[in-house]
Amino acid sequence: SQTIHQWPATLVQPVGSPLSLECTVEGTSNPNLYWYRQAAGRGLQLLFYSVGIGQISSEVPQNLSASRPQDRQFILSSKKLLLSDSGFYLCAFHPRTHEQFFGPGTRLTVL
Amino acid sequence: DAKTTQPTSMDCAEGRAANLPCNHSTISGNEYVYWYRQIHSQGPQYIIHGLKNNETNEMASLIITEDRKSSTLILPHATLRDTAVYYCIARDLGYGNKLVFGAGTILRVKS
């Protein structure tokens, strides 16, 4: 069966520190992968998507970057976190069908 | 992708049908209508999608008008667990299969 994993579930980081969030997918090959962010009380914002290894498309300019080193691995990174990077980060995958599956999310608080 | 318009919030009595409207007057011929919902602190969950015909699955029914400019998601017997934000998205199956979420409708099911 298809599953998606994200970790960590929660994270508290100081301003200026680096960030690495990891997402892995099982049970599918060559999926499209996505990173979304949801700030407190706000809607879901698409940050990055990838249609294959090493192929990253950015939706909005920001302090974050994404990488896809393996077919089913998607990483969200930052060199220096800002207060405005706080939020709920969701990874999702699209296995070439109509349905998009979301992970459990990482709640990031930048202090 | 076509813009969609949904009411900000709706209330529904438990056990009654919940009818959630969505306007997508600029939808193009190859754009599907998708519905997702997000329960508090979780990732969005796929509900249903359609192109022209009405669709039904174990979760809901989707009624699309003949001119495709609007649609209605029907939860036939709403329960308290259906309280969530419901998103209507119009999207074609283009590069990346991106889902762009709007503000959605907050559905409150009340006992």
Side-chain angles (χ1 to χ4, degrees):
Chain A
S1 63
Q2 298 168 341
T3 55
I4 180 169
H5 304 279
Q6 275 188 256
W7 62 92
T10 59
L11 190 60
V12 180
Q13 292 283 99
V15 169
S17 64
L19 173 74
S20 181
L21 301 181
E22 188 163 346
C23 170
T24 59
V25 178
E26 296 176 358
T28 186
S29 346
N30 195 28
N32 289 343
L33 296 171
Y34 310 84
W35 278 111
Y36 291 83
R37 176 173 62 198
Q38 190 168 35
R42 307 291 295 276
L44 282 155
Q45 181 184 36
L46 178 62
L47 302 176
F48 300 95
Y49 67 95
S50 170
V51 299
I53 296 174
Q55 300 179 63
I56 308 295
S57 298
S58 174
E59 285 293 287
V60 293
Q62 60 207 309
N63 184 42
L64 302 167
S65 61
S67 62
R68 184 171 178 174
Q70 300 179 45
D71 181 46
R72 289 170 286 179
Q73 183 185 30
F74 206 22
I75 298 172
L76 184 69
S77 304
S78 173
K79 292 182 179 178
K80 289 185 178 182
L81 283 169
L82 306 172
L83 287 174
S84 58
D85 291 324
S86 294
F88 188 43
Y89 287 82
L90 286 158
C91 180
F93 76 99
H94 197 297
R96 313 293 176 181
T97 63
H98 280 280
E99 184 174 350
Q100 191 168 112
F101 297 88
F102 287 79
T106 294
R107 195 160 299 280
L108 171 67
T109 303
V110 182
L111 301 174
Chain B
D1 296 338
K3 178 179 170 58
T4 61
T5 304
Q6 299 177 252
T8 302
S9 64
M10 295 180 62
D11 291 339
C12 177
E14 189 178 21
R16 303 297 294 270
N19 297 285
L20 292 92
C22 179
N23 285 324
H24 30 80
S25 58
T26 61
I27 195 169
S28 64
N30 58 345
E31 286 183 314
Y32 289 78
V33 178
Y34 293 84
W35 284 84
Y36 281 75
R37 73 179 183 184
Q38 186 177 22
I39 296 171
H40 183 62
S41 295
Q42 298 181 22
Q45 175 192 24
Y46 166 86
I47 301 173
I48 199 167
H49 76 277
L51 183 62
K52 296 180 182 177
N53 300 321
N54 298 335
E55 302 288 346
T56 296
N57 62 20
E58 65 279 3
M59 288 183 68
S61 295
L62 174 60
I63 308 299
I64 302 175
T65 58
E66 194 169 344
D67 63 7
R68 301 188 71 238
K69 292 186 177 182
S70 65
S71 60
T72 301
L73 178 74
I74 301 172
L75 307 178
H77 305 287
T79 71
L80 297 178
R81 289 177 294 180
D82 292 322
T83 293
V85 180
Y86 287 77
Y87 299 98
C88 170
I89 302 166
R91 187 199 74 177
D92 62 17
L93 298 180
Y95 181 81
N97 285 329
K98 298 179 292 180
L99 278 178
V100 179
F101 290 80
T105 296
I106 300 170
L107 175 68
R108 299 185 189 92
V109 180
K110 300 183 176 181
S111 58

